């Protein structure tokens, strides 16, 4: 008689299994999927993420079903944690989808700020150029300043200094070459 009662208890759907579960994963899925999806949607704010989260939660439950004592509570906690992870990680991901009216040509996804090491290298380079310019004679420094700081053409420089256009070109060429040589001596390749 005791053997019959034990056999009947193990086949009855309302009986507890050896792990304490009253439902199978399939029954839990059927009972909780839509409510878990709603919960995940409220937390993750995107349907695709909510679906992924619920699927991931059930996959994790399946992997450790025998160790989980209260699967319903466990599923809600897991969905909650996964949704928070998705939201946190989504802030680090930039969407590649184009908005209405945008084309890939007019999207600039680069950060305009140089990296810190690039900024330092640039400032060091500027400092070395300034030191190299100090090695030039006064007239050559003036011509370099007029050309590169003020953006004047050779003709405008010639008018301002009283030199001929070709002489301005000749002096600037040699001044720039002297600066390049000085930079090379300091280990900077122009």
């Amino acid at each position: 008689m005791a053997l019959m009662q034990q056999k009947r208890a193990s086949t009855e759907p309302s009986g507890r299994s050896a792990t304490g579960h009253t439902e199978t994963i399939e029954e839990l899925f059927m009972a909780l999927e839509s409510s878990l999806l709603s919960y995940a949607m409220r937390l993750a704010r995107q349907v695709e993420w909510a679906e992924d989260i619920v699927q991931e939660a059930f996959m994790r439950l399946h992997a450790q079903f025998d160790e989980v004592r209260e699967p319903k509570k466990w599923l809600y906690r897991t969905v909650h944690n996964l949704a928070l992870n998705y939201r946190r990680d989504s802030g680090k991901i930039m969407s590649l989808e184009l908005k209405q009216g945008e084309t890939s040509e007019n999207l600039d996804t680069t950060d305009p700020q140089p990296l810190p090491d690039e900024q330092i290298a640039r400032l060091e380079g500027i400092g070395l150029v300034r030191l190299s310019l100090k090695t030039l004679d006064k007239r050559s420094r003036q011509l370099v300043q007029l050309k590169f700081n003020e953006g004047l053409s050779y003709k405008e420089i010639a008018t301002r200094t009283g030199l001929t256009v070709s002489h301005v070109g000749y002096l600037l060429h040699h001044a720039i070459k002297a600066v390049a040589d000085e930079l090379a001596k300091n280990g900077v390749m122009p």
Side-chain angles (χ1 to χ4, degrees):
M1 178 83 171
L3 183 59
M4 280 181 68
Q5 286 177 338
Q6 185 180 22
K7 188 174 186 180
R8 188 172 25 164
S10 66
T11 59
E12 290 178 2
S14 60
R16 280 197 167 295
S17 68
T19 60
H21 298 299
T22 57
E23 299 139 325
T24 64
I25 290 180
E26 293 82 10
E27 291 169 333
L28 283 168
F29 184 80
M30 296 302 286
L32 298 174
E33 180 194 20
S34 63
S35 61
L36 285 170
L37 277 171
S38 296
Y39 182 58
M41 181 60 194
R42 283 194 310 269
L43 295 171
R45 298 185 184 132
Q46 286 195 7
V47 175
E48 297 85 15
W49 288 358
E51 291 169 347
D52 288 347
I53 289 167
V54 171
Q55 180 180 0
E56 177 72 20
F58 273 104
M59 288 172 55
R60 289 182 181 191
L61 177 63
H62 183 274
Q64 50 190 315
F65 190 64
D66 291 337
E67 291 88 35
V68 175
R69 292 182 191 246
E70 298 180 58
K72 183 177 179 179
K73 287 181 181 179
W74 188 94
L75 280 167
Y76 273 95
R77 174 53 54 199
T78 302
V79 165
H80 178 84
N81 292 340
L82 288 171
L84 293 180
N85 290 344
Y86 267 78
R87 283 181 55 193
R88 181 193 66 227
D89 295 343
S90 71
K92 300 174 187 172
I93 299 172
M94 190 171 151
S95 174
L96 297 178
E97 295 179 19
L98 298 176
K99 295 176 184 163
Q100 189 173 4
E102 282 186 328
T103 61
S104 59
E105 290 83 35
N106 64 6
L107 269 182
D108 183 15
T109 58
T110 58
D111 184 359
Q113 296 296 321
L115 296 172
D117 59 336
E118 292 171 337
Q119 289 175 336
I120 291 169
R122 184 174 184 276
L123 292 174
E124 286 176 350
I126 290 170
L128 286 172
V129 169
R130 285 187 176 151
L131 287 173
S132 299
L133 286 172
K134 288 183 179 182
T135 64
L136 298 176
D137 61 273
K138 185 177 178 182
R139 182 173 64 174
S140 295
R141 277 196 310 269
Q142 179 192 18
L143 293 175
V144 169
Q145 179 187 356
L146 292 172
K147 177 64 181 162
F148 296 102
N149 290 356
E150 296 184 29
L152 300 180
S153 68
Y154 284 13
K155 186 176 181 179
E156 292 168 325
I157 294 171
T159 303
R160 193 178 281 187
T161 60
L163 300 169
T164 65
V165 173
S166 61
H167 197 110
V168 168
Y170 174 82
L171 291 173
L172 275 173
H173 169 77
H174 285 286
I176 293 169
K177 185 169 178 357
V179 169
D181 290 343
E182 188 66 28
L183 289 172
K185 283 181 193 175
N186 291 312
V188 178
M189 300 310 288

